[in-house]
């Protein structure tokens, strides 16, 4: 994980939209996808809207897992499953990050 945020950090209301970046690798596509699924299960950000639910849905999609995607993949995924992110509002948000090494 690459981030300037830390556990219990306070994120101001005009935060940079990229709070953290999660990167995994594997010997092949299947292993990398499995590691990313595990990492996203352990990655917790509270109090702000994130793209984690969308990334989980992408990784769970059989076409994505098989490498069958194109520039319209996300459009199709959202049309069959809906947008699905929850939003919380407030003047300030608190972030809780927990991530363990996923090997």
């Amino acid at each position: 994980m690459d981030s300037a945020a830390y556990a219990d950090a306070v994120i101001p209301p005009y935060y940079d939209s990229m709070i953290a970046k999660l990167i995994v690798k594997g010997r092949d596509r299947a292993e990398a996808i499995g590691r990313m699924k595990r990492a996203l299960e352990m990655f917790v950000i509270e109090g702000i809207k994130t793209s984690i639910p969308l990334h989980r849905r992408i990784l769970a999609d059989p076409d994505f897992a098989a490498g069958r995607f194109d520039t319209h993949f996300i459009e199709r995924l959202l049309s069959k499953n809906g947008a699905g992110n929850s939003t919380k509002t407030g003047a300030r948000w608190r972030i809780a990050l927990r991530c363990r090494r996923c090997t």
Side-chain angles (χ1 to χ4, degrees), residues 46-60:
E46 297 173 331
I48 58 174
K49 183 178 176 180
T50 74
S51 60
I52 292 172
L54 174 61
H55 284 94
R56 286 180 179 155
R57 289 183 21 215
I58 291 168
L59 294 168

Side-chain angles (χ1 to χ4, degrees), residues 5-22:
Y6 51 89
D8 297 322
V10 175
I11 306 297
Y14 305 105
Y15 64 94
D16 181 343
S17 61
M18 189 166 94
I19 295 169
K21 174 173 47 177
L22 184 60

Side-chain angles (χ1 to χ4, degrees), residues 21-35:
K21 174 173 47 177
L22 184 60
I23 303 168
V24 300
K25 66 178 184 174
R27 289 172 288 180
D28 56 25
R29 182 177 185 81
E31 183 177 76
I33 289 173
R35 286 183 175 187

Side-chain angles (χ1 to χ4, degrees), residues 81-93:
N81 294 320
N85 281 347
S86 63
T87 303
K88 293 185 179 181
T89 58
R92 291 166 64 101
W93 301 285

